[in-house]
Amino acid sequence: MPDLDPPEMITLATAEMAVPAPYHLLTSVVAPRPIAWVSTISAEGQPNLAPYSFFNAVSGFPPTLMFSVALRRREPQEKDTLRNVREVGEFVCHVVDEALAEAMVTTAMELPHGTNEFEVAGLKAIPAMDVKPFRIEGAPVAMECRVTQIVPVAEATSVMVLGQVLRFHIRKDLYRSPLGLVDTVHMQPVTRLGGPVEYTKIGELIHLSIPTNPE
């Protein structure tokens, strides 16, 4: 390959950046981010539904995922999702596909405490099998989870929730049974980018194999 001049770089110390510039920069760098559409329920039986884009799988054995909840900037600061997982210890995590994207955005609004987001977004809530929170009818994948840890993020106003997946619900046409995988491209997941209105769909599928070590 021909010798190329190294690209010109800029360097930014986060301590010297104005708030919330580091947040916006981070969310545009760590992208695309999957969206956890999280259903919870209060101890009194009030359902709640909200999306979170600080979300990922963190363990395969046992299957465990995490999502992060930021405190509100106004009172009450603790969101219903966090309050509910503390009280009940369960949630259902859904994949957002293109067909449900507008409904997902609707549930991202900061609505008054006690609002039923299922009703506001025109979604049908159906019972889960192993946990108390409801599932979204029509979601391509739903994962029933038991909370295993609630971890405050150091020096932050965010709290990380970890949950062990107890049961997967997968739309039948998505399940690649010989492999035990979901057809991710066909699932059409919607993911989050950096800007407040920037989302993206899955792009071109590529295959990369890990090389074998030479003997």
Side-chain angles (χ1 to χ4, degrees):
M1 295 179 59
D3 291 334
L4 299 175
D5 293 333
E8 184 178 358
M9 306 290 290
I10 64 170
T11 181
L12 302 167
T14 57
E16 298 171 0
M17 299 170 69
V19 177
Y23 161 80
H24 290 301
L25 187 56
L26 178 67
T27 56
S28 63
V29 170
V30 183
R33 303 190 312 282
I35 299 169
W37 205 4
V38 177
S39 166
T40 59
I41 196 166
S42 70
E44 293 76 30
Q46 175 65 43
N48 181 263
L49 183 64
Y52 296 93
S53 60
F54 285 102
F55 160 58
N56 221 309
V58 294
S59 171
F61 306 98
T64 303
L65 54 79
M66 65 73 61
F67 66 94
S68 179
V69 183
L71 299 181
R72 296 178 187 266
R73 295 182 182 180
R74 58 177 177 79
E75 296 293 339
Q77 284 196 315
E78 193 168 79
K79 293 182 179 179
D80 288 348
T81 298
L82 185 56
R83 184 181 302 108
N84 292 348
V85 295
R86 289 190 196 278
E87 291 179 353
V88 177
E90 297 172 343
F91 62 93
V92 182
C93 181
H94 304 82
V95 171
V96 180
D97 64 6
E98 294 177 35
L100 291 172
E102 291 294 336
M104 177 273 296
V105 172
T106 298
T107 65
M109 295 189 297
E110 286 202 5
L111 298 169
H113 171 65
T115 300
N116 186 332
E117 288 83 2
F118 285 91
E119 295 177 354
V120 172
L123 297 164
K124 183 176 180 180
I126 58 176
M129 297 181 68
D130 298 321
V131 298
K132 296 182 180 68
F134 292 99
R135 291 167 47 207
I136 302 169
E137 185 177 71
V141 174
M143 295 170 283
E144 300 185 18
C145 300
R146 174 178 57 84
V147 176
T148 55
Q149 291 172 268
I150 298 176
V151 184
V153 179
E155 301 182 35
T157 59
S158 296
V159 178
M160 182 173 63
V161 178
L162 287 93
Q164 181 177 332
V165 180
L166 305 178
R167 185 180 295 271
F168 292 91
H169 300 273
I170 303 164
R171 204 174 69 210
K172 188 174 182 180
D173 64 297
L174 297 176
Y175 190 58
R176 301 159 65 187
S177 56
L179 301 174
L181 303 175
V182 158
D183 185 336
T184 311
V185 174
H186 187 48
M187 187 169 63
Q188 297 182 314
V190 172
T191 56
R192 188 75 191 273
L193 298 178
V197 297
E198 294 179 350
Y199 295 79
T200 188
K201 300 181 289 187
I202 195 165
E204 180 185 358
L205 179 67
I206 62 173
H207 295 88
L208 299 172
S209 298
I210 299 174
T212 57
N213 290 325
E215 295 296 334

